[in-house]
Amino acid sequence: FVGFGKTAIFVSALTIVSGALYYRAHGLNLDIDFTAGTALDIDVDRSIDQGTATRIMSEAGTVPATVAIGGKENTHIAARFDEILQPAELKRIIATFRSTYGKVEYEENTADPGVARDFATRAIYAVAAAFASILLYIGLRFSWSIALATVAPIFHDILIVSAIFSLFKLEIDVTYIAALLTITGYSLNDKIVIFGRIRENLKRVSNPDGDSLRDLVNQSIRQTLGRSIYTVLTVVLASACLYLFASEPLEMFALAILIGLVSGAYSSIFMSSVLWLSIHAL
């Protein structure tokens, strides 16, 4: 496990850098919770394609920023507008759809710029507070080397999820922050279990050198490997079911948790211990 650590770090760094470069060039696919504007969800009584939906809204006098078609029979339209739709504009759009389709139902959600900025700021504060609290508690309860070797890979897990969402232009909404905090909890739990076993095994060895310390770390990971895999598989299966069968608002939440849990197990097994050995050797 320790021998694979450098390769794991390289693969992760490549993914994170790719996501960062793509973000720099194209930005993130942020929901209106963070950017302001109007989200309009429309259900019609028969199948519709993206071009037709875009044309109907354009004919009503308002061009959407994005349009996505979904539902079992492609009857659901999810449109996003960078500007806030006025009541008159909304009425024109719905009236235009109703002139073509017999049954039209809609739901409109608007966020103004002040609310969007407040959401973004609070999201950053929530994640930063979680990391600071974890670092402080583990540093006081265990050791600062374990605290750094725990928090840095958790930060890595957050970056991996963000990089994948950036690369595939997946939508980031307010549930994404809840997913990040959930990932932080599970990833922390997995790493603490491994470091707890390392501490127990260290008590049985006096003055271990570099090679014996590496062997001890590998042994500790093997002893906790089954628990790590079973824990992750249990939640990953639940998240996969939530992604495949739940309603649309929960899809990105479930996908973020799924990616984050896999990344958390990966970083716990291959990266945390390598980082701890490097800090311990200083």
Side-chain angles (χ1 to χ4, degrees), residues 173-212:
D173 58 16
V174 70
T175 64
Y176 180 80
I177 305 305
L180 294 187
L181 295 175
T182 304
I183 292 164
T184 299
Y186 274 101
S187 183
L188 170 65
N189 179 66
D190 202 18
K191 291 166 176 58
I192 288 299
V193 168
I194 293 175
F195 280 122
R197 185 55 58 91
I198 290 173
R199 291 178 75 230
E200 290 176 5
N201 291 335
L202 273 174
K203 294 176 183 177
R204 304 188 183 100
V205 181
S206 58
N207 299 321
D209 57 19
D211 290 335
S212 62

mmCIF file of all heavy atoms in Angstrom, residues 173-212:
data_model
loop_
_atom_site.group_PDB
_atom_site.id
_atom_site.type_symbol
_atom_site.label_atom_id
_atom_site.label_comp_id
_atom_site.label_asym_id
_atom_site.label_seq_id
_atom_site.Cartn_x
_atom_site.Cartn_y
_atom_site.Cartn_z
ATOM 1 N N ASP A 173 -25.226 22.713 -7.127
ATOM 2 C CA ASP A 173 -26.277 23.468 -6.448
ATOM 3 C C ASP A 173 -26.034 23.425 -4.942
ATOM 4 O O ASP A 173 -24.974 22.989 -4.475
ATOM 5 C CB ASP A 173 -27.658 22.918 -6.808
ATOM 6 C CG ASP A 173 -27.805 21.438 -6.463
ATOM 7 O OD1 ASP A 173 -26.975 20.925 -5.692
ATOM 8 O OD2 ASP A 173 -28.746 20.800 -6.967
ATOM 9 N N VAL A 174 -27.004 23.869 -4.166
ATOM 10 C CA VAL A 174 -26.795 23.971 -2.721
ATOM 11 C C VAL A 174 -26.643 22.593 -2.066
ATOM 12 O O VAL A 174 -25.977 22.458 -1.043
ATOM 13 C CB VAL A 174 -27.953 24.785 -2.092
ATOM 14 C CG1 VAL A 174 -29.256 23.985 -2.126
ATOM 15 C CG2 VAL A 174 -27.612 25.218 -0.680
ATOM 16 N N THR A 175 -27.230 21.537 -2.662
ATOM 17 C CA THR A 175 -27.073 20.195 -2.093
ATOM 18 C C THR A 175 -25.643 19.686 -2.253
ATOM 19 O O THR A 175 -25.227 18.774 -1.542
ATOM 20 C CB THR A 175 -28.037 19.193 -2.755
ATOM 21 O OG1 THR A 175 -27.713 19.055 -4.147
ATOM 22 C CG2 THR A 175 -29.480 19.637 -2.615
ATOM 23 N N TYR A 176 -24.893 20.284 -3.170
ATOM 24 C CA TYR A 176 -23.489 19.908 -3.368
ATOM 25 C C TYR A 176 -22.677 20.171 -2.095
ATOM 26 O O TYR A 176 -21.787 19.385 -1.745
ATOM 27 C CB TYR A 176 -22.928 20.707 -4.543
ATOM 28 C CG TYR A 176 -21.484 20.439 -4.876
ATOM 29 C CD1 TYR A 176 -21.114 19.326 -5.619
ATOM 30 C CD2 TYR A 176 -20.487 21.319 -4.470
ATOM 31 C CE1 TYR A 176 -19.787 19.093 -5.946
ATOM 32 C CE2 TYR A 176 -19.162 21.098 -4.791
ATOM 33 C CZ TYR A 176 -18.822 19.992 -5.530
ATOM 34 O OH TYR A 176 -17.504 19.767 -5.850
ATOM 35 N N ILE A 177 -22.983 21.264 -1.402
ATOM 36 C CA ILE A 177 -22.269 21.587 -0.163
ATOM 37 C C ILE A 177 -22.583 20.545 0.905
ATOM 38 O O ILE A 177 -21.699 20.101 1.643
ATOM 39 C CB ILE A 177 -22.656 22.995 0.330
ATOM 40 C CG1 ILE A 177 -22.420 24.031 -0.783
ATOM 41 C CG2 ILE A 177 -21.862 23.361 1.569
ATOM 42 C CD1 ILE A 177 -21.013 24.036 -1.334
ATOM 43 N N ALA A 178 -23.844 20.134 0.989
ATOM 44 C CA ALA A 178 -24.213 19.070 1.929
ATOM 45 C C ALA A 178 -23.464 17.779 1.596
ATOM 46 O O ALA A 178 -23.012 17.055 2.495
ATOM 47 C CB ALA A 178 -25.718 18.835 1.880
ATOM 48 N N ALA A 179 -23.303 17.495 0.305
ATOM 49 C CA ALA A 179 -22.562 16.298 -0.113
ATOM 50 C C ALA A 179 -21.097 16.386 0.309
ATOM 51 O O ALA A 179 -20.522 15.404 0.791
ATOM 52 C CB ALA A 179 -22.671 16.123 -1.625
ATOM 53 N N LEU A 180 -20.480 17.565 0.152
ATOM 54 C CA LEU A 180 -19.077 17.732 0.546
ATOM 55 C C LEU A 180 -18.884 17.504 2.044
ATOM 56 O O LEU A 180 -17.913 16.869 2.473
ATOM 57 C CB LEU A 180 -18.578 19.131 0.171
ATOM 58 C CG LEU A 180 -18.476 19.460 -1.321
ATOM 59 C CD1 LEU A 180 -17.806 20.815 -1.505
ATOM 60 C CD2 LEU A 180 -17.721 18.390 -2.084
ATOM 61 N N LEU A 181 -19.802 18.014 2.846
ATOM 62 C CA LEU A 181 -19.698 17.828 4.295
ATOM 63 C C LEU A 181 -19.925 16.364 4.676
ATOM 64 O O LEU A 181 -19.292 15.847 5.606
ATOM 65 C CB LEU A 181 -20.693 18.735 5.008
ATOM 66 C CG LEU A 181 -20.439 20.236 4.851
ATOM 67 C CD1 LEU A 181 -21.556 21.046 5.497
ATOM 68 C CD2 LEU A 181 -19.095 20.630 5.435
ATOM 69 N N THR A 182 -20.810 15.681 3.958
ATOM 70 C CA THR A 182 -21.022 14.253 4.190
ATOM 71 C C THR A 182 -19.773 13.459 3.836
ATOM 72 O O THR A 182 -19.357 12.558 4.576
ATOM 73 C CB THR A 182 -22.211 13.747 3.348
ATOM 74 O OG1 THR A 182 -23.370 14.524 3.648
ATOM 75 C CG2 THR A 182 -22.504 12.284 3.632
ATOM 76 N N ILE A 183 -19.157 13.787 2.701
ATOM 77 C CA ILE A 183 -17.911 13.132 2.283
ATOM 78 C C ILE A 183 -16.826 13.344 3.325
ATOM 79 O O ILE A 183 -16.072 12.416 3.666
ATOM 80 C CB ILE A 183 -17.458 13.693 0.917
ATOM 81 C CG1 ILE A 183 -18.435 13.276 -0.182
ATOM 82 C CG2 ILE A 183 -16.045 13.234 0.580
ATOM 83 C CD1 ILE A 183 -18.283 14.075 -1.454
ATOM 84 N N THR A 184 -16.744 14.560 3.845
ATOM 85 C CA THR A 184 -15.738 14.873 4.869
ATOM 86 C C THR A 184 -15.892 13.954 6.074
ATOM 87 O O THR A 184 -14.907 13.427 6.600
ATOM 88 C CB THR A 184 -15.869 16.344 5.304
ATOM 89 O OG1 THR A 184 -15.651 17.193 4.171
ATOM 90 C CG2 THR A 184 -14.868 16.692 6.393
ATOM 91 N N GLY A 185 -17.138 13.741 6.512
ATOM 92 C CA GLY A 185 -17.381 12.883 7.669
ATOM 93 C C GLY A 185 -16.970 11.440 7.436
ATOM 94 O O GLY A 185 -16.277 10.836 8.268
ATOM 95 N N TYR A 186 -17.378 10.873 6.310
ATOM 96 C CA TYR A 186 -17.039 9.474 6.018
ATOM 97 C C TYR A 186 -15.537 9.301 5.803
ATOM 98 O O TYR A 186 -14.940 8.324 6.265
ATOM 99 C CB TYR A 186 -17.803 8.994 4.778
ATOM 100 C CG TYR A 186 -19.185 8.487 5.093
ATOM 101 C CD1 TYR A 186 -20.313 9.277 4.873
ATOM 102 C CD2 TYR A 186 -19.374 7.211 5.621
ATOM 103 C CE1 TYR A 186 -21.583 8.816 5.164
ATOM 104 C CE2 TYR A 186 -20.642 6.749 5.913
ATOM 105 C CZ TYR A 186 -21.741 7.551 5.686
ATOM 106 O OH TYR A 186 -22.995 7.084 5.987
ATOM 107 N N SER A 187 -14.923 10.221 5.070
ATOM 108 C CA SER A 187 -13.491 10.128 4.805
ATOM 109 C C SER A 187 -12.686 10.250 6.107
ATOM 110 O O SER A 187 -11.718 9.525 6.319
ATOM 111 C CB SER A 187 -13.077 11.231 3.816
ATOM 112 O OG SER A 187 -11.721 11.125 3.477
ATOM 113 N N LEU A 188 -13.102 11.152 6.971
ATOM 114 C CA LEU A 188 -12.445 11.314 8.268
ATOM 115 C C LEU A 188 -12.538 10.029 9.085
ATOM 116 O O LEU A 188 -11.540 9.575 9.668
ATOM 117 C CB LEU A 188 -13.093 12.470 9.023
ATOM 118 C CG LEU A 188 -12.704 12.637 10.496
ATOM 119 C CD1 LEU A 188 -11.227 12.981 10.602
ATOM 120 C CD2 LEU A 188 -13.567 13.706 11.147
ATOM 121 N N ASN A 189 -13.706 9.438 9.132
ATOM 122 C CA ASN A 189 -13.912 8.215 9.900
ATOM 123 C C ASN A 189 -12.974 7.095 9.432
ATOM 124 O O ASN A 189 -12.351 6.400 10.241
ATOM 125 C CB ASN A 189 -15.371 7.763 9.758
ATOM 126 C CG ASN A 189 -15.656 6.489 10.510
ATOM 127 O OD1 ASN A 189 -15.600 6.439 11.735
ATOM 128 N ND2 ASN A 189 -15.968 5.425 9.777
ATOM 129 N N ASP A 190 -12.865 6.930 8.123
ATOM 130 C CA ASP A 190 -12.020 5.881 7.563
ATOM 131 C C ASP A 190 -10.553 6.095 7.924
ATOM 132 O O ASP A 190 -9.829 5.152 8.291
ATOM 133 C CB ASP A 190 -12.198 5.864 6.046
ATOM 134 C CG ASP A 190 -11.808 4.528 5.441
ATOM 135 O OD1 ASP A 190 -11.733 3.534 6.187
ATOM 136 O OD2 ASP A 190 -11.584 4.463 4.222
ATOM 137 N N LYS A 191 -10.090 7.326 7.829
ATOM 138 C CA LYS A 191 -8.686 7.622 8.107
ATOM 139 C C LYS A 191 -8.352 7.467 9.584
ATOM 140 O O LYS A 191 -7.275 6.975 9.948
ATOM 141 C CB LYS A 191 -8.350 9.035 7.614
ATOM 142 C CG LYS A 191 -8.367 9.146 6.093
ATOM 143 C CD LYS A 191 -8.367 10.573 5.626
ATOM 144 C CE LYS A 191 -8.292 10.659 4.116
ATOM 145 N NZ LYS A 191 -9.391 9.967 3.417
ATOM 146 N N ILE A 192 -9.282 7.872 10.447
ATOM 147 C CA ILE A 192 -9.047 7.755 11.884
ATOM 148 C C ILE A 192 -8.951 6.289 12.302
ATOM 149 O O ILE A 192 -8.153 5.916 13.165
ATOM 150 C CB ILE A 192 -10.160 8.477 12.674
ATOM 151 C CG1 ILE A 192 -9.998 9.986 12.537
ATOM 152 C CG2 ILE A 192 -10.140 8.083 14.141
ATOM 153 C CD1 ILE A 192 -8.692 10.525 13.085
ATOM 154 N N VAL A 193 -9.744 5.422 11.690
ATOM 155 C CA VAL A 193 -9.678 3.983 11.995
ATOM 156 C C VAL A 193 -8.290 3.427 11.657
ATOM 157 O O VAL A 193 -7.690 2.687 12.443
ATOM 158 C CB VAL A 193 -10.775 3.217 11.221
ATOM 159 C CG1 VAL A 193 -10.542 1.711 11.287
ATOM 160 C CG2 VAL A 193 -12.148 3.551 11.777
ATOM 161 N N ILE A 194 -7.772 3.807 10.488
ATOM 162 C CA ILE A 194 -6.448 3.322 10.081
ATOM 163 C C ILE A 194 -5.366 3.868 11.000
ATOM 164 O O ILE A 194 -4.486 3.120 11.467
ATOM 165 C CB ILE A 194 -6.166 3.714 8.613
ATOM 166 C CG1 ILE A 194 -7.120 2.962 7.681
ATOM 167 C CG2 ILE A 194 -4.717 3.417 8.246
ATOM 168 C CD1 ILE A 194 -7.013 3.361 6.224
ATOM 169 N N PHE A 195 -5.416 5.168 11.306
ATOM 170 C CA PHE A 195 -4.392 5.741 12.181
ATOM 171 C C PHE A 195 -4.518 5.215 13.604
ATOM 172 O O PHE A 195 -3.511 5.106 14.324
ATOM 173 C CB PHE A 195 -4.478 7.269 12.160
ATOM 174 C CG PHE A 195 -3.819 7.890 10.961
ATOM 175 C CD1 PHE A 195 -4.529 8.707 10.096
ATOM 176 C CD2 PHE A 195 -2.479 7.661 10.695
ATOM 177 C CE1 PHE A 195 -3.932 9.270 8.987
ATOM 178 C CE2 PHE A 195 -1.861 8.225 9.591
ATOM 179 C CZ PHE A 195 -2.591 9.017 8.732
ATOM 180 N N GLY A 196 -5.727 4.897 14.022
ATOM 181 C CA GLY A 196 -5.893 4.281 15.342
ATOM 182 C C GLY A 196 -5.194 2.946 15.415
ATOM 183 O O GLY A 196 -4.534 2.624 16.421
ATOM 184 N N ARG A 197 -5.295 2.136 14.357
ATOM 185 C CA ARG A 197 -4.607 0.853 14.339
ATOM 186 C C ARG A 197 -3.088 1.042 14.251
ATOM 187 O O ARG A 197 -2.332 0.285 14.863
ATOM 188 C CB ARG A 197 -5.111 0.024 13.154
ATOM 189 C CG ARG A 197 -4.535 -1.395 13.095
ATOM 190 C CD ARG A 197 -4.782 -2.164 14.393
ATOM 191 N NE ARG A 197 -6.203 -2.248 14.682
ATOM 192 C CZ ARG A 197 -6.968 -3.248 14.269
ATOM 193 N NH1 ARG A 197 -6.456 -4.231 13.545
ATOM 194 N NH2 ARG A 197 -8.251 -3.260 14.587
ATOM 195 N N ILE A 198 -2.643 2.049 13.510
ATOM 196 C CA ILE A 198 -1.200 2.336 13.436
ATOM 197 C C ILE A 198 -0.658 2.678 14.829
ATOM 198 O O ILE A 198 0.398 2.192 15.242
ATOM 199 C CB ILE A 198 -0.921 3.483 12.442
ATOM 200 C CG1 ILE A 198 -1.176 3.014 11.008
ATOM 201 C CG2 ILE A 198 0.523 3.987 12.583
ATOM 202 C CD1 ILE A 198 -1.083 4.111 9.965
ATOM 203 N N ARG A 199 -1.387 3.495 15.583
ATOM 204 C CA ARG A 199 -0.961 3.868 16.939
ATOM 205 C C ARG A 199 -0.915 2.652 17.857
ATOM 206 O O ARG A 199 0.002 2.504 18.673
ATOM 207 C CB ARG A 199 -1.890 4.930 17.517
ATOM 208 C CG ARG A 199 -1.769 6.287 16.838
ATOM 209 C CD ARG A 199 -2.744 7.285 17.421
ATOM 210 N NE ARG A 199 -2.325 7.758 18.712
ATOM 211 C CZ ARG A 199 -3.079 7.799 19.795
ATOM 212 N NH1 ARG A 199 -4.323 7.360 19.756
ATOM 213 N NH2 ARG A 199 -2.615 8.261 20.934
ATOM 214 N N GLU A 200 -1.900 1.771 17.725
ATOM 215 C CA GLU A 200 -1.902 0.553 18.547
ATOM 216 C C GLU A 200 -0.697 -0.330 18.231
ATOM 217 O O GLU A 200 -0.039 -0.858 19.135
ATOM 218 C CB GLU A 200 -3.188 -0.233 18.309
ATOM 219 C CG GLU A 200 -4.436 0.435 18.866
ATOM 220 C CD GLU A 200 -5.692 -0.350 18.523
ATOM 221 O OE1 GLU A 200 -5.558 -1.452 17.934
ATOM 222 O OE2 GLU A 200 -6.792 0.133 18.821
ATOM 223 N N ASN A 201 -0.407 -0.486 16.950
ATOM 224 C CA ASN A 201 0.727 -1.322 16.550
ATOM 225 C C ASN A 201 2.060 -0.686 16.914
ATOM 226 O O ASN A 201 3.046 -1.395 17.185
ATOM 227 C CB ASN A 201 0.670 -1.608 15.048
ATOM 228 C CG ASN A 201 -0.475 -2.528 14.681
ATOM 229 O OD1 ASN A 201 -0.942 -3.313 15.511
ATOM 230 N ND2 ASN A 201 -0.949 -2.448 13.441
ATOM 231 N N LEU A 202 2.128 0.650 16.915
ATOM 232 C CA LEU A 202 3.371 1.334 17.291
ATOM 233 C C LEU A 202 3.750 1.067 18.746
ATOM 234 O O LEU A 202 4.939 1.047 19.097
ATOM 235 C CB LEU A 202 3.225 2.846 17.075
ATOM 236 C CG LEU A 202 3.550 3.397 15.684
ATOM 237 C CD1 LEU A 202 3.205 4.871 15.595
ATOM 238 C CD2 LEU A 202 5.027 3.170 15.357
ATOM 239 N N LYS A 203 2.739 0.863 19.599
ATOM 240 C CA LYS A 203 3.006 0.613 21.015
ATOM 241 C C LYS A 203 3.743 -0.710 21.239
ATOM 242 O O LYS A 203 4.391 -0.900 22.261
ATOM 243 C CB LYS A 203 1.693 0.600 21.798
ATOM 244 C CG LYS A 203 0.987 1.950 21.838
ATOM 245 C CD LYS A 203 -0.353 1.860 22.545
ATOM 246 C CE LYS A 203 -1.092 3.196 22.525
ATOM 247 N NZ LYS A 203 -2.440 3.090 23.157
ATOM 248 N N ARG A 204 3.654 -1.611 20.254
ATOM 249 C CA ARG A 204 4.283 -2.931 20.390
ATOM 250 C C ARG A 204 5.695 -2.960 19.818
ATOM 251 O O ARG A 204 6.382 -3.975 19.888
ATOM 252 C CB ARG A 204 3.429 -3.989 19.677
ATOM 253 C CG ARG A 204 1.987 -4.039 20.164
ATOM 254 C CD ARG A 204 1.266 -5.232 19.545
ATOM 255 N NE ARG A 204 -0.129 -5.260 19.942
ATOM 256 C CZ ARG A 204 -1.124 -4.840 19.188
ATOM 257 N NH1 ARG A 204 -0.870 -4.362 17.982
ATOM 258 N NH2 ARG A 204 -2.378 -4.902 19.611
ATOM 259 N N VAL A 205 6.115 -1.841 19.198
ATOM 260 C CA VAL A 205 7.435 -1.775 18.562
ATOM 261 C C VAL A 205 8.238 -0.648 19.178
ATOM 262 O O VAL A 205 7.738 0.465 19.345
ATOM 263 C CB VAL A 205 7.293 -1.536 17.035
ATOM 264 C CG1 VAL A 205 8.670 -1.494 16.376
ATOM 265 C CG2 VAL A 205 6.432 -2.612 16.404
ATOM 266 N N SER A 206 9.462 -0.921 19.530
ATOM 267 C CA SER A 206 10.330 0.101 20.129
ATOM 268 C C SER A 206 11.314 0.619 19.087
ATOM 269 O O SER A 206 11.998 -0.162 18.418
ATOM 270 C CB SER A 206 11.098 -0.470 21.331
ATOM 271 O OG SER A 206 11.869 -1.589 20.947
ATOM 272 N N ASN A 207 11.347 1.932 18.922
ATOM 273 C CA ASN A 207 12.261 2.607 17.998
ATOM 274 C C ASN A 207 12.268 1.988 16.598
ATOM 275 O O ASN A 207 13.309 1.474 16.131
ATOM 276 C CB ASN A 207 13.692 2.585 18.573
ATOM 277 C CG ASN A 207 13.783 3.293 19.895
ATOM 278 O OD1 ASN A 207 13.164 4.328 20.112
ATOM 279 N ND2 ASN A 207 14.574 2.712 20.810
ATOM 280 N N PRO A 208 11.159 1.991 15.882
ATOM 281 C CA PRO A 208 11.133 1.406 14.539
ATOM 282 C C PRO A 208 11.916 2.265 13.546
ATOM 283 O O PRO A 208 11.886 3.493 13.615
ATOM 284 C CB PRO A 208 9.640 1.389 14.193
ATOM 285 C CG PRO A 208 9.061 2.502 15.005
ATOM 286 C CD PRO A 208 9.858 2.541 16.281
ATOM 287 N N ASP A 209 12.667 1.602 12.647
ATOM 288 C CA ASP A 209 13.374 2.355 11.609
ATOM 289 C C ASP A 209 12.458 2.529 10.403
ATOM 290 O O ASP A 209 11.278 2.171 10.447
ATOM 291 C CB ASP A 209 14.676 1.643 11.224
ATOM 292 C CG ASP A 209 14.443 0.213 10.744
ATOM 293 O OD1 ASP A 209 13.295 -0.111 10.368
ATOM 294 O OD2 ASP A 209 15.402 -0.580 10.747
ATOM 295 N N GLY A 210 13.008 3.072 9.320
ATOM 296 C CA GLY A 210 12.175 3.392 8.160
ATOM 297 C C GLY A 210 11.468 2.185 7.571
ATOM 298 O O GLY A 210 10.264 2.217 7.306
ATOM 299 N N ASP A 211 12.210 1.082 7.346
ATOM 300 C CA ASP A 211 11.622 -0.105 6.724
ATOM 301 C C ASP A 211 10.593 -0.763 7.627
ATOM 302 O O ASP A 211 9.518 -1.168 7.170
ATOM 303 C CB ASP A 211 12.715 -1.115 6.365
ATOM 304 C CG ASP A 211 13.588 -0.620 5.218
ATOM 305 O OD1 ASP A 211 13.106 0.210 4.428
ATOM 306 O OD2 ASP A 211 14.750 -1.063 5.128
ATOM 307 N N SER A 212 10.920 -0.879 8.917
ATOM 308 C CA SER A 212 9.976 -1.526 9.841
ATOM 309 C C SER A 212 8.718 -0.665 10.027
ATOM 310 O O SER A 212 7.623 -1.194 10.219
ATOM 311 C CB SER A 212 10.643 -1.784 11.192
ATOM 312 O OG SER A 212 11.045 -0.569 11.811
#
